[in-house]
Amino acid sequence: MGDKATSDLWWKNAVVYCVDVELFADGSGDGVGDFPGLTGRVDYLAGLGVTCVWLMPFYPTPNRDNGYDIADYYGVDPRLGTLGDVVEFLRAARERGIRVVADLVVNHTSVDHPWFQAARADRASPYRDFYVWVDEPPAEGPTDVVFPGQETSNWELDERAGQYYLHRFYKSMPDLNIANPRVRDEIHKVVGFWLELGLSGFRVDAAPFLIELTGVDEAGPGDPHEYLRDLRAFLDRRRGDAVLLAEANLPPADQRRFFGDEDGDEMHLLFNFVVNQRLFLALVRQQAAPLAEALGELPPIPEINQWANFVKNHDELTLDKLSAAEREEVFAALAPSQDMRIYGRGIRRRVPPMLHGDRRRLELVYSLLFALPGTPVLLYGEELGMGDDLAVEGRGSVRVAMQWDDQANCGFSSARPRVPVVEDGDFGYKRVNVGGQRTDPGSLLNWMERLVRRRKETPELGWGAFRVVPAGDPAVLALRTDWRGSVVLTVHNLADQPARAQLELDAADTDAGLVELLADQRYQRLEAPAGGVPVDGYGYRWFRLRR
């Protein structure tokens, strides 16, 4: 398997960059981002060094949930361009060595989708069983509404249909009936269509909900995961190097099922929600233990599979896997105002405002992200230290226009943007933008480019076996990764005071030489780990052992 490290298992050492097309760049001058604008900025992505772009939904939609309510799986929202524009972007990305994956949102459709319109109109319609219907919702009521405060039930009465339909998310997004073989066939067609146009895979939205069988006849399929194996097998037949990156916010033991059996025959990658949440708890406490414990809870996974690590995504920073006390601890430090919180479980802010723009802590957080075992995923604008707009309702506060320069409309469009723009304050586009940071050697953007390059040159972190190394200081997280006889050590100090990490290494490594790969500053050259590894407050150091 190791011989495939630089070829067909490309996701093992990838750097993924999440893009919302309507917020990235406007090529048509109508104030909304689009595919021509994205294509015009593809050299920026290549310069940053990302190897895979993840596109958020770009399909036709009434846009009641940021495009996750899809009305046509085979089209492109007219605001964002045409199918031809999508193919042109895929070609431009491919020529620069960048693969592209897109959101696969098949747990539900929009109520505007022709399938649902046909289903609600006639009980005899062949599309009626595409959705989940009941005459009366369960008497006990729901206990796990996804959006508390916005929805009170998972069932909605459709007057025209004369029945209730299941919706795990908003009532405008009815759930598909995955137990119906015809629904599965339609999903296969959608996957096959976009693979033919050049996608390299999909980010599978809401994977646990996709395979649940609430309201489905007990005679339905026995093992819901059988569908994920079927989807993976179809993907492999159509394009062997394509990937499935799944959203499954579950405890680690439950997440493991979504990788499949010992051959890893379901999802290729899973977002690492538990590590993400514990990272912020560790940051707030200035202690390594929460993060070290989360890493220790991760189950062994097949070599073909991978964890996808992130600091921030396009939704709220969910803290649902922390205890109530731990959650309040993070809230108090990073979201002290109620308008910064959402659903009682998350923070609707980007990371730079949470950390008050502290460059040392920002570098620490992203160095940690890229040093964790797995594949790093960046949200557009993280490389600049972009902020948010709390005036935007709900989770949309982090979904703001990309800040290209300090001129009118932040370089996003030649017209006044019809999307949220951060105009003022420390994170406004006049202070935080690509143009200004490009010309500053010490900028966050230039630092991030160096970080991306170093991560790509350190395949041990994507492929190797990791373990936490005792460091003799509660604030220091030290990780060791072994692969093909090579060893990489990363040391991160989560406290604001300098530390000296006393690393407990194997006897054969105590006198090994150290080659420094990355650090927060120029340290005095360290010949060997014996005697301790100095690291400044909020500092970080990456080494490769030279035996």
Side-chain angles (χ1 to χ4, degrees):
M1 187 70 73
D3 292 334
K4 299 178 181 179
T6 57
S7 56
D8 57 333
L9 301 187
W10 57 269
W11 57 89
K12 297 286 287 188
N13 204 45
V15 177
V16 182
Y17 187 88
C18 175
V19 168
D20 190 330
V21 177
E22 73 170 322
L23 298 173
F24 200 65
D26 173 21
S28 63
D30 65 354
V32 177
D34 49 36
F35 276 100
L38 176 58
T39 302
R41 296 292 188 175
V42 74
D43 282 320
Y44 169 79
L45 300 174
L48 181 59
V50 299
T51 59
C52 178
V53 168
W54 154 28
L55 298 176
M56 290 172 61
F58 54 82
Y59 315 99
T61 172
N63 216 22
R64 300 184 185 100
D65 184 27
N66 204 58
Y68 282 89
D69 49 331
I70 295 171
D72 177 9
Y73 288 110
Y74 298 101
V76 179
D77 191 315
R79 299 173 308 135
L80 309 184
T82 66
L83 276 176
D85 294 328
V86 174
V87 172
E88 179 64 13
F89 166 67
L90 294 175
R91 179 201 61 80
R94 182 175 63 251
E95 288 182 351
R96 291 158 179 83
I98 299 173
R99 298 172 186 264
V100 181
V101 301
D103 261 293
L104 181 67
V105 188
V106 289
N107 173 70
H108 49 259
T109 69
S110 166
V111 291
D112 294 3
H113 196 289
W115 295 346
F116 188 75
Q117 291 300 313
R120 77 196 313 185
D122 183 0
R123 289 201 182 202
S125 167
Y127 293 101
R128 184 72 167 200
D129 197 36
F130 270 43
Y131 299 88
V132 181
W133 302 90
V134 295
D135 291 324
E136 292 292 337
E140 64 271 16
T143 59
D144 56 351
V145 173
V146 174
F147 300 123
Q150 294 180 280
E151 298 289 349
T152 58
S153 175
N154 293 327
W155 298 95
E156 180 70 13
L157 176 64
D158 187 86
E159 296 286 355
R160 187 176 181 188
Q163 285 185 300
Y164 291 81
Y165 62 83
L166 177 69
H167 64 90
R168 295 311 304 262
F169 294 86
Y170 297 109
K171 62 174 65 76
S172 60
M173 295 149 59
D175 275 25
L176 286 167
N177 177 11
I178 201 66
N180 184 344
R182 289 194 61 207
V183 172
R184 299 184 184 199
D185 288 343
E186 289 292 340
I187 294 173
H188 283 176
K189 290 178 185 177
V190 171
V191 168
F193 177 83
W194 290 106
L195 289 178
E196 288 295 322
L197 289 185
L199 285 186
S200 291
F202 302 89
R203 177 260 188 186
V204 182
D205 182 63
F209 295 114
L210 173 62
I211 62 171
E212 72 159 9
L213 299 175
T214 298
V216 175
D217 191 316
E218 292 182 2
D223 180 9
H225 281 265
E226 181 60 36
Y227 172 64
L228 296 183
R229 290 191 287 272
D230 183 48
L231 179 64
R232 167 66 179 279
F234 177 83
L235 186 86
D236 288 346
R237 291 195 303 272
R238 289 297 178 93
R239 180 167 174 176
D241 65 342
V243 297
L244 296 172
L245 165 59
E247 176 193 37
N249 182 12
L250 299 168
D254 295 329
Q255 273 191 308
R256 173 63 184 84
R257 290 198 64 195
F258 285 81
F259 283 123
D261 62 18
E262 62 274 9
D263 294 326
D265 60 351
E266 292 185 30
M267 304 293 101
H268 295 84
L269 303 97
L270 293 178
F271 284 110
N272 205 338
F273 281 94
V274 172
V275 165
N276 171 257
Q277 297 180 39
R278 298 279 188 85
L279 186 156
F280 283 94
L281 182 61
L283 195 66
V284 166
R285 289 182 174 175
Q286 298 193 20
Q287 294 181 352
L291 187 50
E293 290 166 3
L295 291 168
E297 292 171 8
L298 296 180
I301 61 176
E303 189 174 16
I304 196 173
N305 296 126
Q306 186 73 299
W307 296 105
N309 298 306
F310 62 101
V311 172
K312 188 68 187 71
N313 61 19
H314 59 288
D315 291 328
E316 75 274 15
L317 169 60
T318 184
L319 302 172
D320 65 317
K321 296 298 180 290
L322 301 182
S323 70
E326 291 169 339
R327 191 157 48 245
E328 287 301 321
E329 196 176 341
V330 177
F331 278 156
L334 303 181
S337 173
Q338 285 293 332
D339 72 334
M340 299 173 180
R341 308 175 189 180
I342 188 169
Y343 308 135
R345 65 174 185 241
I347 299 175
R348 61 187 205 98
R349 309 191 74 191
R350 281 185 177 243
V351 175
M354 281 194 268
L355 300 182
H356 307 290
D358 186 335
R359 175 65 180 272
R360 295 184 306 159
R361 297 179 84 192
L362 285 173
E363 285 193 20
L364 170 69
V365 165
Y366 287 101
S367 174
L368 258 174
L369 167 67
F370 277 68
L372 291 173
T375 297
V377 181
L378 290 171
L379 176 65
Y380 77 96
E382 281 191 289
E383 71 276 18
L384 304 176
M386 276 175 44
D388 45 52
D389 184 354
L390 291 176
V392 178
E393 184 179 351
R395 301 183 294 171
S397 55
V398 304
R399 300 165 184 170
V400 295
M402 183 69 175
Q403 296 167 193
W404 293 104
D405 59 42
D406 61 359
Q407 302 303 302
N409 307 325
C410 65
F412 168 78
S413 175
S414 59
R416 182 173 181 78
R418 292 192 283 142
V419 299
V421 175
V422 181
E423 298 195 24
D424 303 314
D426 292 340
F427 304 98
Y429 68 85
K430 293 182 180 179
R431 292 192 179 189
V432 178
N433 60 75
V434 172
Q437 294 196 24
R438 267 279 173 81
T439 58
D440 177 6
S443 70
L444 183 63
L445 173 60
N446 279 312
W447 176 84
M448 191 71 80
E449 288 183 4
R450 294 193 295 272
L451 177 65
V452 170
R453 183 168 63 248
R454 174 54 70 197
R455 174 61 181 77
K456 289 159 66 177
E457 295 170 347
T458 316
E460 294 94 334
L461 298 177
W463 277 85
F466 80 94
R467 67 177 187 263
V468 176
V469 177
D473 189 310
V476 176
L477 179 71
L479 294 176
R480 172 192 175 125
T481 307
D482 291 73
W483 182 62
R484 286 184 169 181
S486 180
V487 178
V488 169
L489 288 171
T490 59
V491 181
H492 292 81
N493 181 7
L494 284 87
D496 56 0
Q497 298 299 313
R500 179 176 289 272
Q502 303 290 343
L503 303 180
E504 294 184 19
L505 300 177
D506 297 343
D509 298 324
T510 53
D511 294 324
L514 292 176
V515 177
E516 191 145 52
L517 305 176
L518 184 76
D520 61 294
Q521 60 183 265
R522 286 186 177 274
Y523 289 93
Q524 183 175 352
R525 183 172 179 178
L526 195 63
E527 297 293 343
V533 177
V535 58
D536 205 359
Y538 299 136
Y540 53 89
R541 302 182 74 173
W542 293 22
F543 302 97
R544 184 173 277 122
L545 258 62
R546 183 174 56 198
R547 294 189 175 104

